[in-house]
Amino acid sequence: MEPNAHKHPPVFLLLLLFLSPIVFCQLDYKFYQYTCPNLLNIVRQGVQSAIANDTRIAASLLRLHFHDCFVNGCDGSLLLDDTDTFKGEKNASPNRNSVRGYEVIDTIKSALEKACPSTVSCTDIVTLAAREGVYLSGGQFWPVALGRRDGTTANETAANELPSPFESLDNIIKKFTFNKLDIKDVVVLSGAHTFGFAQCFLFKPRLFNFNGTGTSDPSLDASVLENLLRVCPNQDDSNTNLAPLDHVTTNKFDNFYYRNLVNNSGLLQTDQDLAGDSRTASLVIYYSKCPFTFLKDFGTSMVKMGNIGVLTGQNGEIRKNCRMVN
Ligand code: HEM
Ligand SMILES: *[C@@H]1O[C@H](CO)[C@@H](O)[C@H](O)[C@H]1NC(C)=O
Ligand SMILES: *[C@@H]1O[C@H](CO)[C@@H](O)[C@H](O)[C@H]1NC(C)=O
Ligand SMILES: *[C@@H]1O[C@H](CO)[C@@H](O)[C@H](O)[C@H]1NC(C)=O
Ligand SMILES: *[C@@H]1O[C@H](CO)[C@@H](O)[C@H](O)[C@H]1NC(C)=O
């Protein structure tokens, strides 16, 4: 130990006390306040006109954010295109012919590059677009802290491990826990399935070969089953037909996801499982009765999801084009 060292700690401590709010504040609500003051208007405008053209796009943008954040954290990795030397995540099986909304992000990004070049990260755009999509579909607004930076890598293997509708709730909980999300977050964020659509092949076993029985899921509501059999007849050419995740209020962000679950009208097996598991069933019933609590809790869990593994400070970069690293 240096002879004088014991005299210095108070100074260091003071400095640390001063700096810690800056050092530890990774994201900030007013991050772009001076560098891109019109950011929120530009994103809202972009999402609004995308919805005017295609109502479903609000749901697609929310899912895009989820699939970005669950792989390498929220770093825009999902937006990167494949090249001869670079393998992205777009062609991983949970994403290929399934994730939508890339063009909307491109359009918003080009508007932002005009207004404030090389300033706003692609992953912050996705985070805001998801929030706007929910808000404009009838959900509740939640404040989003900004300053995420874009990654320079992608991981197709990890993208192939995104939650699947054919896995157990145990597995899904593990994948959420890996991202520091708990069982409540699983139930709350699954409420995203209150809007948007799913392709028939992602729930067909429930219609034709439930649990290997060769018949339909006996617990599925009879009139819902009848409708699904019309949309998804038992032949391969119906595999990519679409059914609404919420058959009652299809395009509205509300608590009908949970109301459907308690009525045995969930679409995906993993959705309906939430109503039948002792760890999650009571929360499903609760949200089916308390729409405003759900909308509020959804914002809270979205903030947690939007903070997964973010790059800040000098890490990562601000991409100029969301489809490729600079
Ligand atoms: C809990 C595990 C989850 C599983 C197993 C799952 C699975 C799926 C599947 C299979 C689809 C249909 C995809 C297709 O038809 O190609 C889908 C759609 C969707 N998912 Fe999830 N999901 C999960 C969690 C989430 C979360 C956490 C969010 C967002 C917070 C989310 C948002 C959505 C939305 C909005 C759609 C509709 C997208 C559209 O219409 O374009 N999902 N999900
Ligand atoms: C409108 O929506 C359709 C269907 O999603 C899409 O193919 C098309 O590119 C969109 N057009 C514009 C101008 O955004
Ligand atoms: C990609 O993801 C896989 C599976 O999650 C992981 O084992 C691997 O280490 C990751 N690769 C890189 C380069 O991060
Ligand atoms: C599925 O089938 C297995 C045995 O084939 C059985 O043990 C299990 O209880 C069944 N699950 C349901 C939900 O019916
Ligand atoms: C369940 O469905 C019935 C009609 O089949 C409806 O009257 C009831 O309100 C639904 N329950 C919930 C919680 O939405």
Side-chain angles (χ1 to χ4, degrees):
M1 202 191 202
E2 272 179 68
N4 276 346
H6 68 281
K7 288 184 185 162
H8 292 299
V11 180
F12 283 128
L13 272 176
L14 240 135
L15 252 172
L16 231 139
L17 224 87
F18 248 107
L19 289 176
S20 56
I22 302 164
V23 172
F24 296 119
C25 182
Q26 298 196 304
L27 300 177
D28 200 276
Y29 294 103
K30 299 188 170 176
F31 190 85
Y32 300 106
Q33 182 177 28
Y34 302 114
T35 54
C36 199
N38 213 14
L39 168 62
L40 295 184
N41 289 325
I42 293 173
V43 175
R44 178 163 300 179
Q45 165 61 38
V47 174
Q48 219 154 23
S49 52
I51 292 175
N53 171 58
D54 168 20
T55 316
R56 181 188 175 195
I57 205 72
S60 306
L61 289 167
L62 177 57
R63 185 163 185 251
L64 180 64
H65 179 44
F66 162 49
H67 282 204
D68 176 22
C69 292
F70 262 57
V71 178
N72 283 344
C74 313
D75 66 344
S77 55
L78 174 54
L79 303 173
L80 295 170
D81 283 341
D82 289 346
T83 69
D84 291 343
T85 52
F86 185 90
K87 198 111 193 263
E89 295 163 12
K90 286 181 177 172
N91 286 315
S93 55
N95 295 333
R96 188 188 182 105
N97 296 323
S98 179
V99 166
R100 310 167 75 244
Y102 301 119
E103 297 80 7
V104 177
I105 301 302
D106 289 339
T107 304
I108 295 172
K109 177 65 170 172
S110 19
L112 286 170
E113 284 304 293
K114 287 204 184 82
C116 22
S118 288
T119 301
V120 183
S121 68
C122 296
T123 188
D124 270 348
I125 298 173
V126 172
T127 309
L128 287 170
R131 195 267 312 272
E132 294 305 314
V134 170
Y135 181 62
L136 295 170
S137 302
Q140 192 171 302
F141 186 90
W142 64 90
V144 167
L146 300 165
R148 293 164 193 76
R149 289 168 65 87
D150 296 321
T152 52
T153 58
N155 189 334
E156 193 191 31
T157 313
N160 272 312
E161 291 163 7
L162 279 159
S164 138
F166 302 116
E167 66 188 326
S168 66
L169 182 55
D170 279 338
N171 246 339
I172 287 177
I173 289 172
K174 277 191 200 120
K175 289 177 177 182
F176 275 65
T177 308
F178 181 80
N179 286 312
K180 301 194 175 70
L181 298 171
D182 57 27
I183 296 188
K184 181 175 180 182
D185 297 314
V186 173
V187 176
V188 172
L189 292 172
S190 294
H193 292 172
T194 188
F195 64 171
F197 292 79
Q199 302 174 74
C200 292
F201 77 92
L202 293 163
F203 54 86
K204 262 192 178 178
R206 297 190 72 197
L207 310 184
F208 304 112
N209 194 14
F210 175 69
N211 197 17
T213 57
T215 56
S216 59
D217 181 345
S219 71
L220 185 58
D221 177 88
S223 80
V224 169
L225 173 64
E226 198 184 303
N227 280 324
L228 290 175
L229 289 172
R230 257 196 297 275
V231 180
C232 310
N234 195 5
Q235 54 212 34
D236 286 348
D237 67 3
S238 78
N239 278 347
T240 58
N241 291 357
L242 294 172
L245 283 156
D246 167 4
H247 72 101
V248 185
T249 56
T250 299
N251 294 312
K252 195 159 187 296
F253 199 94
D254 55 18
N255 74 328
F256 270 80
Y257 171 76
Y258 304 100
R259 298 179 60 162
N260 292 333
L261 294 187
V262 301
N263 265 355
N264 293 315
S265 306
L267 186 64
L268 305 177
Q269 184 63 55
T270 43
D271 290 330
Q272 197 56 55
D273 286 347
L274 293 176
D277 189 287
S278 60
R279 292 166 293 182
T280 52
S282 55
L283 199 50
V284 167
I285 294 170
Y286 178 70
Y287 287 136
S288 77
K289 295 174 180 158
C290 303
F292 298 107
T293 309
F294 163 62
L295 294 181
K296 185 174 153 292
D297 289 356
F298 189 76
T300 304
S301 290
M302 282 298 289
V303 167
K304 284 174 80 175
M305 190 177 91
N307 288 345
I308 298 171
V310 294
L311 302 167
T312 55
Q314 298 303 306
N315 296 320
E317 62 179 22
I318 304 298
R319 261 178 236 154
K320 290 180 174 38
N321 175 339
C322 294
R323 294 175 180 268
M324 56 187 91
V325 298
N326 292 341

